[in-house]
Amino acid sequence: ETRPIPEPGPNEVLLRMHSVGICGSDVHYWQHGRIGDFVVKHPMVLGHEASGTVVKVGSGVTHLKPGDRVAIEPGVPREMDEFCKIGRYNLSPTIFFCATPPDDGNLCRYYKHSASYCYKLPDNVTFEEGALIEPLSVGIHACKRAGVTLGSKVFVSGSGPIGLVNVIVAKMMGAAAVVVTDLSASRLQKAKEVGADFIIQVKNETPQEVASKVEGVLGCMPDITVECTGVQTCIQAGIYATRSGGTLVLVGLGPEMVTVPIVNAAVREVDIRGIFRYCNTWPVAIALLASKRINVKPLVTHRFPLEKALEAFETTKRGEGVKVMLKCDPTDQSP
């Protein structure tokens, strides 16, 4: 389908898109047409991990100009409600979010977006790094919600893209040791590459056995568990593994109803927290990337031009590599 190039409103910018990462949620919408209560009822553009170049600015935009390279935060509040007032705009029930029905995403040549949610990239931060700020933001938000701090012992369940960004951020925030579990040996090696101290390949162990293995490699129970799979047995292992008085953050989304040892968590005062996307993370991420304090480049394992989007989605669906990146601008020859 060919869409006309959109015209930016007074507080919007028109972007020529450059790099767009494929997320598991994009694949899920493509394959199943819905995630929970979000149902695809009309044709929808996918993509929400993105960066591009400003080509036109609205009349009210003063902080950006044509030619600026920007990273795009996909969630934009539509109104100043109670959640926006307390700085938790990600919880606003009316928020616009790229590629969440009925809102179109930005996997396209040209895209318009709220200028306030486009962040200028420093010269030493690449377009791909800019696109990776979106998944990186999940790690920043999760680790902040978890209270990771100097000396924390952290258990990350799952070594997909979101597990990996949580490893990177936890180490950046001062974690003394991070252990990662996964079924895939290759993904666990990627976790080691980005900073994990210990890896455990899970096969058919019980949740209690997984918890015991985590304690064994750390030498103690972790203060914090970041659960990135959404799998029932992994959530159970997260509860059993976390030390009394510690925190379990649920990042991965699985079935609506799961059976968990809630009494075990209750009597040991294990705090269970959820996260929903992120908020106030783009400036932090850009500062970390510009200062070279973190390195997200190893996350990108596959690259495709926009014309091969179907091949890129099939690659992601098969679980190959880690992060698949689409390049939308055929005139740009940068790596």
Side-chain angles (χ1 to χ4, degrees):
E1 181 180 356
T2 302
R3 295 169 181 243
I5 296 176
E7 189 70 20
N11 298 310
E12 295 177 325
V13 293
L14 176 65
L15 303 160
R16 186 168 181 89
M17 301 305 297
H18 187 285
S19 296
V20 182
I22 299 178
C23 173
S25 67
D26 293 319
V27 174
H28 200 87
Y29 281 125
W30 170 47
Q31 289 293 300
H32 304 286
R34 69 181 298 158
I35 296 178
D37 294 333
F38 297 105
V39 182
V40 179
K41 297 178 181 177
H42 306 284
M44 181 182 79
V45 178
L46 293 169
H48 59 267
E49 306 176 359
S51 64
T53 303
V54 176
V55 294
K56 194 171 185 179
V57 301
S59 58
V61 178
T62 58
H63 70 289
L64 293 172
K65 64 184 186 304
D68 284 346
R69 302 162 57 253
V70 298
I72 301 165
E73 180 172 0
V76 179
R78 285 187 168 95
E79 58 181 320
M80 180 56 70
D81 60 15
E82 59 183 309
F83 297 104
C84 294
K85 290 176 183 176
I86 62 171
R88 301 181 73 177
Y89 56 87
N90 57 311
L91 301 179
S92 173
T94 61
I95 195 169
F96 166 92
F97 198 88
C98 293
T100 295
D103 303 329
D104 280 329
N106 44 35
L107 181 52
C108 48
R109 299 265 186 233
Y110 290 95
Y111 171 74
K112 69 174 182 178
H113 198 70
S114 167
S116 296
Y117 291 82
C118 293
Y119 301 83
K120 190 173 179 180
L121 292 172
D123 291 341
N124 66 340
V125 178
T126 67
F127 280 114
E128 279 195 356
E129 288 175 303
L132 288 168
I133 291 174
E134 197 279 340
L136 180 62
S137 288
V138 177
I140 294 171
H141 190 54
C143 286
K144 287 172 80 172
R145 290 271 293 156
V148 178
T149 188
L150 293 170
S152 296
K153 305 289 181 68
V154 179
F155 166 30
V156 176
S157 175
S159 190
I162 296 302
L164 296 176
V165 294
N166 273 283
V167 172
I168 292 169
V169 175
K171 294 294 287 188
M172 182 67 239
M173 290 175 70
V178 176
V179 56
V180 183
T181 56
D182 201 279
L183 295 168
S184 166
S186 61
R187 289 201 164 190
L188 287 170
Q189 285 306 311
K190 183 64 74 170
K192 286 284 282 187
E193 185 182 338
V194 301
D197 299 282
F198 306 102
I199 55 175
I200 299 171
Q201 186 173 8
V202 177
K203 291 173 183 170
N204 50 13
E205 294 89 343
T206 66
Q208 292 95 330
E209 288 170 340
V210 172
S212 180
K213 285 191 172 186
V214 168
E215 182 178 3
V217 298
L218 281 178
C220 61
M221 297 174 78
D223 311 290
I224 290 160
T225 297
V226 184
E227 209 300 298
C228 301
T229 72
V231 176
Q232 176 173 283
T233 54
C234 296
I235 299 171
Q236 293 168 351
I239 289 176
Y240 289 129
T242 308
R243 73 165 176 85
S244 297
T247 302
L248 167 66
V249 175
L250 301 177
V251 182
L253 299 177
E256 183 179 0
M257 293 291 180
V258 295
T259 301
V260 296
I262 199 70
V263 173
N264 179 288
V267 299
R268 297 193 302 108
E269 297 191 6
V270 173
D271 291 344
I272 300 176
R273 297 184 175 186
I275 71 158
F276 186 60
R277 298 170 180 159
Y278 32 67
C279 58
N280 306 304
T281 54
W282 259 252
V284 174
I286 289 171
L288 290 171
L289 291 168
S291 64
K292 304 303 176 186
R293 297 298 302 277
I294 62 171
N295 181 18
V296 295
K297 290 179 181 178
L299 298 181
V300 181
T301 54
H302 295 73
R303 296 170 178 86
F304 294 88
L306 184 59
E307 292 79 7
K308 295 186 178 180
L310 182 58
E311 187 179 340
F313 270 76
E314 293 282 6
T315 301
T316 306
K317 179 186 170 186
R318 290 192 298 268
E320 295 178 19
V322 179
K323 178 58 66 177
V324 176
M325 192 70 66
L326 279 155
K327 189 171 178 178
C328 299
D329 186 350
T331 66
D332 189 288
Q333 300 302 313
S334 62

